[in-house]
Amino acid sequence: MRTLFAAVLICIVVTMCDSGGVAEATISLSPATETALLAFKSSVGLTDASWAAGQACLPTDAEPGVTAGWTGLTCDEDGNPEAIILPNLNLQGSIPPQIATLVTLTAIEMNNNSFHARLSDFVGNLLALPNLKTLSLCDNYLYGPIPASLLNMPILNNLLLTKNFLSGVVPPFSGSSLKFLFLNGNFLTGAFPASQAAYSACSSSHNCFSDSSRCRTDGVATQRSATECAICGAGIGVQQPCGAQGVCAPVVTDAASQHGQKLELKCLGGSNPGGGGGGGTTPPVSRPPACKNQRNPCKPSPCRRPKRCIRTNSCKGRGYRCG
């Protein structure tokens, strides 16, 4: 009996040492946390079956190969959510108010999805998160101006809004905590405002700014062409491209699928001082196809021999072509 007890004890000690002193590889969530996460799942149209009550969460410092429920969610050792990372899932809808109860969240990344909303409405419930340091919503269909409240979140370090349909003037902000600010690939106008931010990286290229020199750490000064900046009357230097009450928004021409289809930009509400009226349409704007939901689309290779699979950067390194 003593021999058996000693063997069991040694097994437990070895297991704890191998896992850094933590006996469990995954972490259970409280009922309140599960309720908030399930409300989020429903609101954004997430269909992943691993997001279900009773599932364990993956620790932030989990060893490679460890799996758990709630795919894309990581938690601290007490079961508090720390990061939600859900790219390339064709998510739609809105972020529900229950998200504000997850006060330990430090990162939310939902790039390359199909969120179609005014930015101020979409991020409204995120502004109450006191520990949010990273917000990345690149490659979606978010439109309208950037709210000053978002730029002035107390400890927000990384804000990435690349390749949306944002318009209007960037409001004055302190943003002293911002280190990485990526606004490239939108329809923002006016002069980029001065701020207290000490950027490690800031990009404002491919917009309609009259002056973006205050946000140019990557050395890229390229702005959109005059033709592109005429969309919704968003000419270079125009502060209200769709009038005081209007907003320039993407309208999907094929409701069955947003990614890979052509869109038209329209002024919704107000008037369009740049021409075309409040309901005027513009030439279609092409959007790239959605990325495959996998790290390396060439494993296994989708190409028939003798052709080989070549990764491309059309979807941030996750596309491919056969050559």
Side-chain angles (χ1 to χ4, degrees), residues 198-283:
Y199 303 118
S200 297
C202 182
S203 179
S204 59
S205 62
H206 294 91
N207 277 284
C208 300
F209 287 117
S210 58
D211 176 19
S212 60
S213 59
R214 297 188 184 97
C215 180
R216 194 180 298 160
T217 62
D218 56 5
V220 178
T222 305
Q223 295 293 301
R224 290 187 181 273
S225 67
T227 300
E228 289 180 304
C229 286
I231 291 177
C232 287
I236 293 177
V238 175
Q239 294 196 5
Q240 295 178 320
C242 291
Q245 304 300 321
V247 61
C248 185
V251 177
V252 182
T253 57
D254 183 351
S257 174
Q258 292 187 14
H259 281 292
Q261 301 298 322
K262 289 188 174 181
L263 309 174
E264 289 183 351
L265 293 176
K266 294 184 178 182
C267 281
L268 304 181
S271 61
N272 185 350
T281 63
T282 63

Side-chain angles (χ1 to χ4, degrees), residues 21-276:
V22 180
E24 291 184 329
T26 57
I27 302 169
S28 298
L29 302 180
S30 70
T33 297
E34 288 185 343
T35 298
L37 290 171
L38 290 175
F40 172 83
K41 172 186 177 181
S42 176
S43 188
V44 301
L46 180 62
T47 58
D48 194 317
S50 72
W51 280 58
Q55 294 279 1
C57 181
L58 191 68
T60 301
D61 57 353
E63 295 291 332
V66 176
T67 59
W70 308 96
T71 301
L73 178 73
T74 56
C75 302
D76 65 18
E77 60 184 9
D78 296 319
N80 299 310
E82 289 195 327
I84 295 176
I85 302 176
L86 298 170
N88 316 320
L89 294 172
N90 196 33
L91 300 180
Q92 304 176 44
S94 60
I95 298 177
Q98 290 89 337
I99 196 76
T101 65
L102 305 177
V103 295
T104 53
L105 278 173
T106 62
I108 296 177
E109 299 180 21
M110 295 189 291
N111 299 325
N112 199 28
N113 282 292
S114 297
F115 293 116
H116 189 283
R118 188 187 291 255
L119 180 63
S120 57
D121 295 336
F122 188 77
V123 302
N125 291 318
L126 300 178
L127 300 179
L129 294 174
N131 295 298
L132 192 65
K133 295 182 178 180
T134 297
L135 178 61
S136 185
L137 300 170
C138 303
D139 292 282
N140 279 285
Y141 300 89
L142 301 172
Y143 59 87
I146 300 174
S149 53
L150 177 60
L151 294 168
N152 287 308
M153 288 187 73
I155 64 171
L156 188 66
N157 294 153
N158 312 303
L159 179 60
L160 296 89
L161 299 171
T162 297
K163 291 185 180 179
N164 279 282
F165 293 86
L166 304 177
S167 61
V169 176
V170 178
F173 66 99
S174 60
S176 56
S177 66
L178 280 173
K179 302 300 180 186
F180 293 86
L181 178 61
F182 288 84
L183 304 177
N184 44 304
N186 285 285
F187 292 86
L188 298 166
T189 59
F192 196 89
S195 75
Q196 300 173 17
Y199 303 118
S200 297
C202 182
S203 179
S204 59
S205 62
H206 294 91
N207 277 284
C208 300
F209 287 117
S210 58
D211 176 19
S212 60
S213 59
R214 297 188 184 97
C215 180
R216 194 180 298 160
T217 62
D218 56 5
V220 178
T222 305
Q223 295 293 301
R224 290 187 181 273
S225 67
T227 300
E228 289 180 304
C229 286
I231 291 177
C232 287
I236 293 177
V238 175
Q239 294 196 5
Q240 295 178 320
C242 291
Q245 304 300 321
V247 61
C248 185
V251 177
V252 182
T253 57
D254 183 351
S257 174
Q258 292 187 14
H259 281 292
Q261 301 298 322
K262 289 188 174 181
L263 309 174
E264 289 183 351
L265 293 176
K266 294 184 178 182
C267 281
L268 304 181
S271 61
N272 185 350

